[in-house]
Amino acid sequence: MAADPRFHPAAGPFPLARVAEAGAAQFSGDGARRFRDVAPLDAAGPEEVAFLDGRRNLEALQRSQAGAVILQAEFADAVPAGCVALVSPAPHLAFARIAALFHPAPAPVPGIHPTASVAPDVVLGEGSEVGPHAVIGAGAVLGARAYVGPHAVIGPGCVFGDDARIHAHASAICCLAGHRVTLHHGARVGQEGFGFTPTPEGRFITIPQLGRVVLGDEVEIGASACVDRGALGDTVLGPGTRLDNLVQIGHNVVTGRGCVIVAQVGISGSTRLGDYVTIAGQAGLTGHLNIGSRARIGAQAGVQSDIPPGQDVTGSPAMPVKDALRAALYLRKVGARKAPAAGAAQGRADQKGPPGRRPGQTD
């Protein structure tokens, strides 16, 4: 089915030519034919656009009732009668852009809700919206078309560029952010890092966290993710970096451009990531590491040492993928060799008889 209009109203209908333009796709046929939405391949109707995700879904394509399907050129001849082939070298990317045509992000409704608390010296860009019970502290600056959701908090002196989206219950303090930055619901940015030192008496004394968080253009922070501010220097997330939900970024962590950090990852303080690093879910990185550009870290990996550029690692402790697979295979073989079959073990126990008796002895 198409998106539920109660939650995701569509902006269409659009003519086929406009749809193809949005996805940078090629087609042949009537460019004036109109489409009203996007939908999955197996549920789309004649006025909806779907996409083919590789050869494994060719059978679903044959059964599909979609009016148009985005696909690679090699599959264009497989579309059923009445269906338009929207040819793209990257169907998933084309679909994302076409879906955004039909379902653009809601534009801010300019104005400040009467229940919001906005300091008198806040600079709020043209076309910005501040929702119910939101708080914006003294000296904060937000660019044009900013959206600040209900109960969101932006601390004193924070700066966000144009098209910021600070969703409900998100908070930011000690933060300088570029353009098109998004904090999803409940995200926490700029809070005190986990820095303390013990006393001779066994107590802990907090070390003042005097740095900032710097977010590059188009950074996205997932729901309930946390980014600690630096202890002395800054915590920095490079342009285009994306954090999934429930990610923890420690103080003074620095990432390059376009890093992808998946749910429940934890990165300890002062670790540095190069450009386009990918870290899969629940991986953990100790502090003061250097992770090279385009390295990939597998799910639940435990990273305790530096990773060179372009290397794929997994396991705990993390090691190159091939080494991890060899180690897993070796352990499986050792386990199979050492564990006796249940029947054989029982047979040997029966032969021994009760303690203190020879096999075959009776009372």
Side-chain angles (χ1 to χ4, degrees), residues 60-95:
L61 174 62
Q62 292 296 321
R63 298 189 301 267
S64 179
Q65 301 297 310
V69 176
I70 308 160
L71 38 62
Q72 292 176 308
E74 62 183 298
F75 305 125
D77 293 338
V79 298
C83 179
V84 178
L86 289 167
V87 178
S88 167
H92 209 163
L93 176 59
F95 181 80

PDB file of all heavy atoms in Angstrom, residues 60-95:
ATOM      1  N   ALA A  60       8.438 -10.807  -8.683  1.00  0.00           N
ATOM      2  CA  ALA A  60       7.504  -9.810  -8.158  1.00  0.00           C
ATOM      3  C   ALA A  60       7.235  -8.728  -9.195  1.00  0.00           C
ATOM      4  O   ALA A  60       6.111  -8.207  -9.282  1.00  0.00           O
ATOM      5  CB  ALA A  60       8.054  -9.204  -6.876  1.00  0.00           C
ATOM      6  N   LEU A  61       8.233  -8.380  -9.988  1.00  0.00           N
ATOM      7  CA  LEU A  61       8.026  -7.392 -11.055  1.00  0.00           C
ATOM      8  C   LEU A  61       7.001  -7.900 -12.063  1.00  0.00           C
ATOM      9  O   LEU A  61       6.126  -7.148 -12.500  1.00  0.00           O
ATOM     10  CB  LEU A  61       9.361  -7.093 -11.741  1.00  0.00           C
ATOM     11  CG  LEU A  61       9.289  -6.189 -12.973  1.00  0.00           C
ATOM     12  CD1 LEU A  61       8.762  -4.802 -12.606  1.00  0.00           C
ATOM     13  CD2 LEU A  61      10.666  -6.076 -13.632  1.00  0.00           C
ATOM     14  N   GLN A  62       7.085  -9.157 -12.429  1.00  0.00           N
ATOM     15  CA  GLN A  62       6.149  -9.714 -13.402  1.00  0.00           C
ATOM     16  C   GLN A  62       4.711  -9.654 -12.890  1.00  0.00           C
ATOM     17  O   GLN A  62       3.774  -9.475 -13.672  1.00  0.00           O
ATOM     18  CB  GLN A  62       6.526 -11.162 -13.728  1.00  0.00           C
ATOM     19  CG  GLN A  62       7.838 -11.296 -14.498  1.00  0.00           C
ATOM     20  CD  GLN A  62       7.768 -10.660 -15.883  1.00  0.00           C
ATOM     21  OE1 GLN A  62       6.747 -10.762 -16.559  1.00  0.00           O
ATOM     22  NE2 GLN A  62       8.828  -9.983 -16.282  1.00  0.00           N
ATOM     23  N   ARG A  63       4.524  -9.800 -11.584  1.00  0.00           N
ATOM     24  CA  ARG A  63       3.177  -9.767 -11.013  1.00  0.00           C
ATOM     25  C   ARG A  63       2.708  -8.372 -10.649  1.00  0.00           C
ATOM     26  O   ARG A  63       1.541  -8.163 -10.320  1.00  0.00           O
ATOM     27  CB  ARG A  63       3.131 -10.640  -9.748  1.00  0.00           C
ATOM     28  CG  ARG A  63       3.436 -12.110  -9.979  1.00  0.00           C
ATOM     29  CD  ARG A  63       3.153 -12.909  -8.715  1.00  0.00           C
ATOM     30  NE  ARG A  63       3.944 -12.432  -7.577  1.00  0.00           N
ATOM     31  CZ  ARG A  63       5.124 -12.938  -7.238  1.00  0.00           C
ATOM     32  NH1 ARG A  63       5.689 -13.891  -7.973  1.00  0.00           N
ATOM     33  NH2 ARG A  63       5.759 -12.468  -6.181  1.00  0.00           N
ATOM     34  N   SER A  64       3.603  -7.384 -10.664  1.00  0.00           N
ATOM     35  CA  SER A  64       3.297  -6.056 -10.155  1.00  0.00           C
ATOM     36  C   SER A  64       2.264  -5.332 -11.018  1.00  0.00           C
ATOM     37  O   SER A  64       2.236  -5.457 -12.240  1.00  0.00           O
ATOM     38  CB  SER A  64       4.579  -5.211 -10.073  1.00  0.00           C
ATOM     39  OG  SER A  64       4.285  -3.913  -9.593  1.00  0.00           O
ATOM     40  N   GLN A  65       1.436  -4.550 -10.349  1.00  0.00           N
ATOM     41  CA  GLN A  65       0.449  -3.691 -11.015  1.00  0.00           C
ATOM     42  C   GLN A  65       0.914  -2.232 -11.050  1.00  0.00           C
ATOM     43  O   GLN A  65       0.131  -1.341 -11.387  1.00  0.00           O
ATOM     44  CB  GLN A  65      -0.893  -3.772 -10.273  1.00  0.00           C
ATOM     45  CG  GLN A  65      -1.477  -5.182 -10.209  1.00  0.00           C
ATOM     46  CD  GLN A  65      -1.799  -5.714 -11.590  1.00  0.00           C
ATOM     47  OE1 GLN A  65      -2.452  -5.042 -12.388  1.00  0.00           O
ATOM     48  NE2 GLN A  65      -1.342  -6.927 -11.880  1.00  0.00           N
ATOM     49  N   ALA A  66       2.182  -1.979 -10.687  1.00  0.00           N
ATOM     50  CA  ALA A  66       2.688  -0.605 -10.637  1.00  0.00           C
ATOM     51  C   ALA A  66       2.609   0.062 -11.999  1.00  0.00           C
ATOM     52  O   ALA A  66       2.813  -0.568 -13.040  1.00  0.00           O
ATOM     53  CB  ALA A  66       4.131  -0.597 -10.136  1.00  0.00           C
ATOM     54  N   GLY A  67       2.345   1.356 -11.983  1.00  0.00           N
ATOM     55  CA  GLY A  67       2.324   2.108 -13.228  1.00  0.00           C
ATOM     56  C   GLY A  67       3.705   2.404 -13.751  1.00  0.00           C
ATOM     57  O   GLY A  67       3.900   2.581 -14.968  1.00  0.00           O
ATOM     58  N   ALA A  68       4.686   2.493 -12.875  1.00  0.00           N
ATOM     59  CA  ALA A  68       6.076   2.737 -13.269  1.00  0.00           C
ATOM     60  C   ALA A  68       6.990   2.066 -12.253  1.00  0.00           C
ATOM     61  O   ALA A  68       6.661   1.989 -11.064  1.00  0.00           O
ATOM     62  CB  ALA A  68       6.374   4.224 -13.349  1.00  0.00           C
ATOM     63  N   VAL A  69       8.122   1.575 -12.734  1.00  0.00           N
ATOM     64  CA  VAL A  69       9.097   0.926 -11.860  1.00  0.00           C
ATOM     65  C   VAL A  69      10.482   1.462 -12.180  1.00  0.00           C
ATOM     66  O   VAL A  69      10.888   1.516 -13.341  1.00  0.00           O
ATOM     67  CB  VAL A  69       9.080  -0.609 -12.035  1.00  0.00           C
ATOM     68  CG1 VAL A  69      10.170  -1.250 -11.182  1.00  0.00           C
ATOM     69  CG2 VAL A  69       7.721  -1.189 -11.658  1.00  0.00           C
ATOM     70  N   ILE A  70      11.189   1.856 -11.132  1.00  0.00           N
ATOM     71  CA  ILE A  70      12.567   2.322 -11.282  1.00  0.00           C
ATOM     72  C   ILE A  70      13.478   1.098 -11.247  1.00  0.00           C
ATOM     73  O   ILE A  70      13.412   0.292 -10.311  1.00  0.00           O
ATOM     74  CB  ILE A  70      12.944   3.285 -10.141  1.00  0.00           C
ATOM     75  CG1 ILE A  70      11.907   4.395 -10.010  1.00  0.00           C
ATOM     76  CG2 ILE A  70      14.324   3.875 -10.360  1.00  0.00           C
ATOM     77  CD1 ILE A  70      11.924   5.077  -8.668  1.00  0.00           C
ATOM     78  N   LEU A  71      14.335   0.957 -12.248  1.00  0.00           N
ATOM     79  CA  LEU A  71      15.193  -0.221 -12.325  1.00  0.00           C
ATOM     80  C   LEU A  71      16.416   0.056 -13.188  1.00  0.00           C
ATOM     81  O   LEU A  71      16.508   1.101 -13.844  1.00  0.00           O
ATOM     82  CB  LEU A  71      14.407  -1.421 -12.876  1.00  0.00           C
ATOM     83  CG  LEU A  71      13.371  -1.222 -13.995  1.00  0.00           C
ATOM     84  CD1 LEU A  71      13.950  -0.702 -15.271  1.00  0.00           C
ATOM     85  CD2 LEU A  71      12.621  -2.517 -14.243  1.00  0.00           C
ATOM     86  N   GLN A  72      17.342  -0.872 -13.153  1.00  0.00           N
ATOM     87  CA  GLN A  72      18.531  -0.760 -13.989  1.00  0.00           C
ATOM     88  C   GLN A  72      18.189  -1.141 -15.429  1.00  0.00           C
ATOM     89  O   GLN A  72      17.233  -1.873 -15.695  1.00  0.00           O
ATOM     90  CB  GLN A  72      19.639  -1.660 -13.448  1.00  0.00           C
ATOM     91  CG  GLN A  72      20.179  -1.188 -12.100  1.00  0.00           C
ATOM     92  CD  GLN A  72      21.200  -2.134 -11.536  1.00  0.00           C
ATOM     93  OE1 GLN A  72      20.939  -3.334 -11.439  1.00  0.00           O
ATOM     94  NE2 GLN A  72      22.357  -1.609 -11.156  1.00  0.00           N
ATOM     95  N   ALA A  73      19.021  -0.676 -16.356  1.00  0.00           N
ATOM     96  CA  ALA A  73      18.740  -0.871 -17.777  1.00  0.00           C
ATOM     97  C   ALA A  73      18.624  -2.344 -18.141  1.00  0.00           C
ATOM     98  O   ALA A  73      17.818  -2.720 -18.999  1.00  0.00           O
ATOM     99  CB  ALA A  73      19.829  -0.198 -18.611  1.00  0.00           C
ATOM    100  N   GLU A  74      19.403  -3.209 -17.490  1.00  0.00           N
ATOM    101  CA  GLU A  74      19.392  -4.630 -17.847  1.00  0.00           C
ATOM    102  C   GLU A  74      18.055  -5.307 -17.568  1.00  0.00           C
ATOM    103  O   GLU A  74      17.770  -6.389 -18.101  1.00  0.00           O
ATOM    104  CB  GLU A  74      20.497  -5.365 -17.103  1.00  0.00           C
ATOM    105  CG  GLU A  74      20.354  -5.339 -15.594  1.00  0.00           C
ATOM    106  CD  GLU A  74      21.522  -6.013 -14.896  1.00  0.00           C
ATOM    107  OE1 GLU A  74      21.719  -7.227 -15.109  1.00  0.00           O
ATOM    108  OE2 GLU A  74      22.230  -5.309 -14.146  1.00  0.00           O
ATOM    109  N   PHE A  75      17.203  -4.681 -16.736  1.00  0.00           N
ATOM    110  CA  PHE A  75      15.904  -5.271 -16.410  1.00  0.00           C
ATOM    111  C   PHE A  75      14.735  -4.560 -17.095  1.00  0.00           C
ATOM    112  O   PHE A  75      13.583  -4.909 -16.842  1.00  0.00           O
ATOM    113  CB  PHE A  75      15.681  -5.251 -14.896  1.00  0.00           C
ATOM    114  CG  PHE A  75      16.774  -5.912 -14.109  1.00  0.00           C
ATOM    115  CD1 PHE A  75      17.437  -5.229 -13.104  1.00  0.00           C
ATOM    116  CD2 PHE A  75      17.161  -7.215 -14.391  1.00  0.00           C
ATOM    117  CE1 PHE A  75      18.446  -5.832 -12.374  1.00  0.00           C
ATOM    118  CE2 PHE A  75      18.174  -7.832 -13.670  1.00  0.00           C
ATOM    119  CZ  PHE A  75      18.819  -7.147 -12.663  1.00  0.00           C
ATOM    120  N   ALA A  76      15.023  -3.570 -17.935  1.00  0.00           N
ATOM    121  CA  ALA A  76      13.958  -2.754 -18.510  1.00  0.00           C
ATOM    122  C   ALA A  76      12.983  -3.574 -19.347  1.00  0.00           C
ATOM    123  O   ALA A  76      11.779  -3.284 -19.380  1.00  0.00           O
ATOM    124  CB  ALA A  76      14.556  -1.626 -19.341  1.00  0.00           C
ATOM    125  N   ASP A  77      13.458  -4.603 -20.030  1.00  0.00           N
ATOM    126  CA  ASP A  77      12.579  -5.406 -20.885  1.00  0.00           C
ATOM    127  C   ASP A  77      11.668  -6.334 -20.088  1.00  0.00           C
ATOM    128  O   ASP A  77      10.770  -6.963 -20.666  1.00  0.00           O
ATOM    129  CB  ASP A  77      13.413  -6.235 -21.862  1.00  0.00           C
ATOM    130  CG  ASP A  77      14.134  -5.373 -22.886  1.00  0.00           C
ATOM    131  OD1 ASP A  77      13.683  -4.232 -23.107  1.00  0.00           O
ATOM    132  OD2 ASP A  77      15.150  -5.836 -23.438  1.00  0.00           O
ATOM    133  N   ALA A  78      11.877  -6.430 -18.791  1.00  0.00           N
ATOM    134  CA  ALA A  78      11.087  -7.348 -17.976  1.00  0.00           C
ATOM    135  C   ALA A  78       9.824  -6.710 -17.408  1.00  0.00           C
ATOM    136  O   ALA A  78       9.025  -7.404 -16.774  1.00  0.00           O
ATOM    137  CB  ALA A  78      11.936  -7.887 -16.827  1.00  0.00           C
ATOM    138  N   VAL A  79       9.617  -5.412 -17.614  1.00  0.00           N
ATOM    139  CA  VAL A  79       8.432  -4.780 -17.038  1.00  0.00           C
ATOM    140  C   VAL A  79       7.179  -5.301 -17.741  1.00  0.00           C
ATOM    141  O   VAL A  79       7.181  -5.531 -18.955  1.00  0.00           O
ATOM    142  CB  VAL A  79       8.509  -3.241 -17.135  1.00  0.00           C
ATOM    143  CG1 VAL A  79       9.682  -2.706 -16.345  1.00  0.00           C
ATOM    144  CG2 VAL A  79       8.567  -2.779 -18.570  1.00  0.00           C
ATOM    145  N   PRO A  80       6.097  -5.512 -16.996  1.00  0.00           N
ATOM    146  CA  PRO A  80       4.873  -6.016 -17.617  1.00  0.00           C
ATOM    147  C   PRO A  80       4.196  -4.949 -18.478  1.00  0.00           C
ATOM    148  O   PRO A  80       4.538  -3.762 -18.412  1.00  0.00           O
ATOM    149  CB  PRO A  80       4.008  -6.384 -16.413  1.00  0.00           C
ATOM    150  CG  PRO A  80       4.536  -5.573 -15.286  1.00  0.00           C
ATOM    151  CD  PRO A  80       5.994  -5.381 -15.537  1.00  0.00           C
ATOM    152  N   ALA A  81       3.241  -5.371 -19.280  1.00  0.00           N
ATOM    153  CA  ALA A  81       2.508  -4.455 -20.157  1.00  0.00           C
ATOM    154  C   ALA A  81       1.822  -3.370 -19.337  1.00  0.00           C
ATOM    155  O   ALA A  81       1.262  -3.631 -18.262  1.00  0.00           O
ATOM    156  CB  ALA A  81       1.475  -5.241 -20.964  1.00  0.00           C
ATOM    157  N   GLY A  82       1.891  -2.145 -19.846  1.00  0.00           N
ATOM    158  CA  GLY A  82       1.260  -1.011 -19.184  1.00  0.00           C
ATOM    159  C   GLY A  82       2.115  -0.347 -18.126  1.00  0.00           C
ATOM    160  O   GLY A  82       1.724   0.677 -17.557  1.00  0.00           O
ATOM    161  N   CYS A  83       3.276  -0.928 -17.847  1.00  0.00           N
ATOM    162  CA  CYS A  83       4.181  -0.380 -16.827  1.00  0.00           C
ATOM    163  C   CYS A  83       5.324   0.344 -17.515  1.00  0.00           C
ATOM    164  O   CYS A  83       5.891  -0.153 -18.494  1.00  0.00           O
ATOM    165  CB  CYS A  83       4.710  -1.504 -15.948  1.00  0.00           C
ATOM    166  SG  CYS A  83       5.856  -0.964 -14.661  1.00  0.00           S
ATOM    167  N   VAL A  84       5.674   1.512 -17.004  1.00  0.00           N
ATOM    168  CA  VAL A  84       6.763   2.311 -17.558  1.00  0.00           C
ATOM    169  C   VAL A  84       8.061   1.976 -16.843  1.00  0.00           C
ATOM    170  O   VAL A  84       8.111   1.939 -15.602  1.00  0.00           O
ATOM    171  CB  VAL A  84       6.468   3.818 -17.413  1.00  0.00           C
ATOM    172  CG1 VAL A  84       7.634   4.650 -17.945  1.00  0.00           C
ATOM    173  CG2 VAL A  84       5.185   4.187 -18.130  1.00  0.00           C
ATOM    174  N   ALA A  85       9.112   1.725 -17.607  1.00  0.00           N
ATOM    175  CA  ALA A  85      10.439   1.505 -17.028  1.00  0.00           C
ATOM    176  C   ALA A  85      11.138   2.845 -16.839  1.00  0.00           C
ATOM    177  O   ALA A  85      11.386   3.568 -17.812  1.00  0.00           O
ATOM    178  CB  ALA A  85      11.259   0.599 -17.927  1.00  0.00           C
ATOM    179  N   LEU A  86      11.435   3.176 -15.594  1.00  0.00           N
ATOM    180  CA  LEU A  86      12.233   4.359 -15.276  1.00  0.00           C
ATOM    181  C   LEU A  86      13.660   3.871 -15.037  1.00  0.00           C
ATOM    182  O   LEU A  86      13.966   3.284 -13.996  1.00  0.00           O
ATOM    183  CB  LEU A  86      11.686   5.068 -14.041  1.00  0.00           C
ATOM    184  CG  LEU A  86      10.349   5.785 -14.220  1.00  0.00           C
ATOM    185  CD1 LEU A  86       9.758   6.182 -12.871  1.00  0.00           C
ATOM    186  CD2 LEU A  86      10.505   7.010 -15.108  1.00  0.00           C
ATOM    187  N   VAL A  87      14.503   4.084 -16.010  1.00  0.00           N
ATOM    188  CA  VAL A  87      15.828   3.465 -16.009  1.00  0.00           C
ATOM    189  C   VAL A  87      16.835   4.365 -15.293  1.00  0.00           C
ATOM    190  O   VAL A  87      16.972   5.549 -15.624  1.00  0.00           O
ATOM    191  CB  VAL A  87      16.292   3.178 -17.446  1.00  0.00           C
ATOM    192  CG1 VAL A  87      17.697   2.586 -17.445  1.00  0.00           C
ATOM    193  CG2 VAL A  87      15.310   2.219 -18.128  1.00  0.00           C
ATOM    194  N   SER A  88      17.529   3.753 -14.331  1.00  0.00           N
ATOM    195  CA  SER A  88      18.522   4.497 -13.554  1.00  0.00           C
ATOM    196  C   SER A  88      19.668   3.554 -13.204  1.00  0.00           C
ATOM    197  O   SER A  88      19.437   2.383 -12.889  1.00  0.00           O
ATOM    198  CB  SER A  88      17.897   5.040 -12.263  1.00  0.00           C
ATOM    199  OG  SER A  88      18.898   5.500 -11.375  1.00  0.00           O
ATOM    200  N   PRO A  89      20.907   4.045 -13.209  1.00  0.00           N
ATOM    201  CA  PRO A  89      22.025   3.206 -12.772  1.00  0.00           C
ATOM    202  C   PRO A  89      22.013   2.949 -11.273  1.00  0.00           C
ATOM    203  O   PRO A  89      22.682   2.044 -10.781  1.00  0.00           O
ATOM    204  CB  PRO A  89      23.257   4.023 -13.184  1.00  0.00           C
ATOM    205  CG  PRO A  89      22.773   5.434 -13.262  1.00  0.00           C
ATOM    206  CD  PRO A  89      21.346   5.364 -13.698  1.00  0.00           C
ATOM    207  N   ALA A  90      21.244   3.753 -10.525  1.00  0.00           N
ATOM    208  CA  ALA A  90      21.152   3.599  -9.067  1.00  0.00           C
ATOM    209  C   ALA A  90      19.676   3.679  -8.662  1.00  0.00           C
ATOM    210  O   ALA A  90      19.211   4.718  -8.194  1.00  0.00           O
ATOM    211  CB  ALA A  90      21.971   4.673  -8.359  1.00  0.00           C
ATOM    212  N   PRO A  91      18.922   2.595  -8.827  1.00  0.00           N
ATOM    213  CA  PRO A  91      17.483   2.650  -8.572  1.00  0.00           C
ATOM    214  C   PRO A  91      17.096   3.080  -7.164  1.00  0.00           C
ATOM    215  O   PRO A  91      16.123   3.816  -6.985  1.00  0.00           O
ATOM    216  CB  PRO A  91      17.031   1.213  -8.861  1.00  0.00           C
ATOM    217  CG  PRO A  91      18.042   0.669  -9.792  1.00  0.00           C
ATOM    218  CD  PRO A  91      19.343   1.288  -9.373  1.00  0.00           C
ATOM    219  N   HIS A  92      17.855   2.625  -6.173  1.00  0.00           N
ATOM    220  CA  HIS A  92      17.500   2.987  -4.802  1.00  0.00           C
ATOM    221  C   HIS A  92      17.633   4.493  -4.586  1.00  0.00           C
ATOM    222  O   HIS A  92      16.777   5.128  -3.950  1.00  0.00           O
ATOM    223  CB  HIS A  92      18.391   2.225  -3.823  1.00  0.00           C
ATOM    224  CG  HIS A  92      17.725   1.958  -2.514  1.00  0.00           C
ATOM    225  ND1 HIS A  92      18.172   1.028  -1.611  1.00  0.00           N
ATOM    226  CD2 HIS A  92      16.620   2.505  -1.938  1.00  0.00           C
ATOM    227  CE1 HIS A  92      17.395   1.013  -0.546  1.00  0.00           C
ATOM    228  NE2 HIS A  92      16.453   1.896  -0.720  1.00  0.00           N
ATOM    229  N   LEU A  93      18.686   5.084  -5.115  1.00  0.00           N
ATOM    230  CA  LEU A  93      18.873   6.526  -5.001  1.00  0.00           C
ATOM    231  C   LEU A  93      17.782   7.276  -5.756  1.00  0.00           C
ATOM    232  O   LEU A  93      17.221   8.259  -5.257  1.00  0.00           O
ATOM    233  CB  LEU A  93      20.254   6.908  -5.535  1.00  0.00           C
ATOM    234  CG  LEU A  93      20.591   8.400  -5.574  1.00  0.00           C
ATOM    235  CD1 LEU A  93      20.510   9.015  -4.186  1.00  0.00           C
ATOM    236  CD2 LEU A  93      21.977   8.618  -6.185  1.00  0.00           C
ATOM    237  N   ALA A  94      17.472   6.802  -6.956  1.00  0.00           N
ATOM    238  CA  ALA A  94      16.409   7.449  -7.729  1.00  0.00           C
ATOM    239  C   ALA A  94      15.078   7.366  -6.993  1.00  0.00           C
ATOM    240  O   ALA A  94      14.305   8.339  -6.953  1.00  0.00           O
ATOM    241  CB  ALA A  94      16.297   6.800  -9.104  1.00  0.00           C
ATOM    242  N   PHE A  95      14.803   6.205  -6.385  1.00  0.00           N
ATOM    243  CA  PHE A  95      13.560   6.056  -5.640  1.00  0.00           C
ATOM    244  C   PHE A  95      13.518   7.021  -4.458  1.00  0.00           C
ATOM    245  O   PHE A  95      12.467   7.615  -4.161  1.00  0.00           O
ATOM    246  CB  PHE A  95      13.407   4.621  -5.153  1.00  0.00           C
ATOM    247  CG  PHE A  95      12.125   4.394  -4.389  1.00  0.00           C
ATOM    248  CD1 PHE A  95      10.933   4.198  -5.059  1.00  0.00           C
ATOM    249  CD2 PHE A  95      12.120   4.370  -3.002  1.00  0.00           C
ATOM    250  CE1 PHE A  95       9.752   3.987  -4.354  1.00  0.00           C
ATOM    251  CE2 PHE A  95      10.952   4.171  -2.295  1.00  0.00           C
ATOM    252  CZ  PHE A  95       9.757   3.974  -2.977  1.00  0.00           C
TER     253      PHE A  95
END
